[in-house]
């Protein structure tokens, strides 16, 4: 009877060990797959909903004044201007770059040290914003729609589409 009890305990212990490894492995994979945003952008204040000052050339009026609405407004402008990109590609990059905070500003990287910090939802520096600004959007790198659209325009020229960007760009 003692041998059965010992064997039973050993089996139970093995099952617990395997369960623990699976759980730990899943947690490690989740941490590995989670975008690192801790150093990507400084967020000095909570992100208030900011009204986009972008023009509405293609009928995106009525879009919500939040991340979803800004992405949809940008996609409307991008489509009208022939700039490739999808909602998923924009959203994925925004979440990695700023966690959806339109006021995010990186004050730590080489750009910031050179006096041109990355700003906004897609962390665009002012020279890049000026070079890839899209007519019909606000002339401000911190305007959510203008920031998204200029960054997507830059990514289209450099990588073919914002959808092809999977890391800092």
């Amino acid at each position: 009877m003692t041998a059965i009890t010992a064997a039973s305990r050993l089996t139970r212990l093995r099952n617990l060990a395997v369960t623990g490894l699976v759980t730990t492995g899943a947690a490690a994979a989740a941490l590995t797959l989670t975008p690192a945003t801790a150093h990507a952008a400084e967020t000095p204040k909570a992100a208030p909903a900011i009204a986009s000052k972008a023009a509405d050339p293609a009928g995106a009026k009525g879009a919500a004044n939040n991340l979803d609405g800004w992405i949809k407004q940008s996609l409307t402008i991008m489509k009208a201007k022939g700039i490739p990109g999808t909602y998923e590609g924009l959203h994925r990059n925004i979440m990695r770059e700023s966690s959806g905070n339109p006021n995010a500003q990186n004050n730590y990287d080489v750009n910031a040290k050179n006096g041109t910090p990355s700003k906004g939802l897609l962390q665009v520096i002012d020279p890049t914003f000026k070079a890839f600004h899209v007519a019909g959007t606000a002339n401000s790198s911190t305007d959510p729609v203008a920031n998204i659209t200029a960054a997507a325009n830059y990514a289209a020229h450099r990588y073919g589409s914002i959808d092809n960007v999977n890391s800092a760009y």
Side-chain angles (χ1 to χ4, degrees):
M1 189 97 176
T2 307
I4 294 172
T5 305
S8 176
R9 286 183 182 175
L10 184 58
T11 301
R12 205 165 123 200
L13 183 59
R14 284 185 190 145
N15 288 341
L16 287 172
V18 169
T19 302
L21 286 173
V22 169
T23 303
T24 303
L31 289 173
T32 302
L33 297 174
T34 302
T37 56
H39 299 292
E42 179 180 291
T43 54
K45 299 177 188 172
I50 295 177
S52 175
K53 300 167 195 87
D56 187 18
K61 284 199 187 302
N65 187 24
N66 58 28
L67 183 57
D68 181 64
W70 300 325
I71 292 172
K72 288 176 180 176
Q73 288 178 46
S74 293
L75 284 168
T76 300
I77 295 165
M78 289 164 58
K79 183 176 180 181
K81 303 288 184 174
I83 302 168
T86 64
Y87 185 99
E88 191 279 331
L90 291 169
H91 189 269
R92 173 175 34 88
N93 282 287
I94 289 167
M95 295 313 292
R96 184 191 62 255
E97 293 291 335
S98 68
S99 298
N101 179 356
N103 297 317
Q105 181 168 312
N106 183 329
N107 291 315
Y108 303 103
D109 69 2
V110 68
N111 291 319
K113 289 176 183 167
N114 290 332
T116 56
S118 304
K119 301 174 189 174
L121 291 168
L122 281 166
Q123 293 294 283
V124 180
I125 60 173
D126 285 337
T128 302
F129 178 82
K130 289 175 186 166
F132 292 93
H133 175 256
V134 176
T137 65
N139 197 18
S140 169
S141 63
T142 57
D143 176 85
V145 174
N147 184 279
I148 294 169
T149 311
N153 192 25
Y154 166 75
H157 283 85
R158 178 126 189 210
Y159 305 103
S161 171
I162 191 73
D163 296 340
N164 297 330
V165 177
N166 293 305
S167 63
Y169 59 107

